[in-house]
Amino acid sequence: MAKKKFTEKDIQQLLQHYRGERRRLVFQLEGVKKAIRELRAMGTGAAAPTEKTAATKKRAAAPKRKSGPRKKRVAPGGYRLSGWDDAVMNAVKGANRMMTKQQLLDVTKKWAAKNEPKTTAAEVEAKLTRALQKLSGRRGMLGTYRTGLQRGYHYGLKDWFFKSTGKLRPAHLDKLVIER
């Protein structure tokens, strides 16, 4: 027995048909549920419920979410950077070169000793990691470059990278200093 091959158009038509049938059956099911409620109310002597129940009201009142990715919420007036974020950004700007996390850790330890002396070395490293993830990810203020010669990224200002591809511009390759 030969199998019939369905085309994309055939599949779409079948899906459309089944979705229509499902809608029709759901509508009929709601009518049956309403009739059952009325019969139960008549059997107990209470008045037939004509109002929608609270659960039905909630479902009807809730607006449907549009398909697609959620819109990003942006704070009015841009984002306010924390002291840690400022320290990282100032370190990269001040050095005017790509910096690894280890190099930035040295700078932020000095900054933390002056500005937040109660933080431990582990907390400094954790806060630096969070700042780097935030600045190179969501905020898009730092770009990342992986040399392949050592572990991790080199972080640099986003202006040094192409907007479309995220790759380092050839004019800024001199800002990449690899230490051994």
Side-chain angles (χ1 to χ4, degrees), residues 105 109 119-130:
L105 184 60
K109 278 184 181 177
T119 54
T120 64
E123 289 174 331
V124 170
E125 186 172 358
K127 290 188 179 200
L128 171 64
T129 301
R130 266 186 249 135

Side-chain angles (χ1 to χ4, degrees), residues 71-162:
K71 291 183 181 177
K72 293 182 182 178
R73 289 184 1 186
V74 178
Y79 291 105
R80 189 179 61 196
L81 296 179
S82 70
W84 292 94
D85 299 334
D86 286 331
V88 170
M89 290 299 293
N90 291 336
V92 174
K93 285 178 187 174
N96 197 28
R97 66 184 180 99
M98 307 277 286
M99 297 180 78
T100 62
K101 181 180 174 185
Q102 190 61 44
Q103 294 165 338
L104 288 167
L105 184 60
D106 296 338
V107 173
T108 51
K109 278 184 181 177
K110 291 175 189 171
W111 178 86
K114 190 188 316 178
N115 296 304
E116 295 187 23
K118 293 183 180 178
T119 54
T120 64
E123 289 174 331
V124 170
E125 186 172 358
K127 290 188 179 200
L128 171 64
T129 301
R130 266 186 249 135
L132 288 173
Q133 287 175 343
K134 180 171 42 172
L135 293 172
S136 64
R138 290 184 303 202
R139 303 279 168 90
M141 298 176 81
L142 290 179
T144 57
Y145 182 79
R146 186 184 293 276
T147 61
L149 300 174
Q150 60 192 42
R151 287 181 55 182
Y153 291 110
H154 281 78
Y155 295 92
L157 297 177
K158 198 64 172 181
D159 299 340
W160 301 345
F161 295 84
F162 287 111

Side-chain angles (χ1 to χ4, degrees), residues 35-48:
I36 290 172
R37 281 194 304 267
E38 290 173 356
L39 287 172
R40 281 192 182 146
M42 288 170 62
T44 59

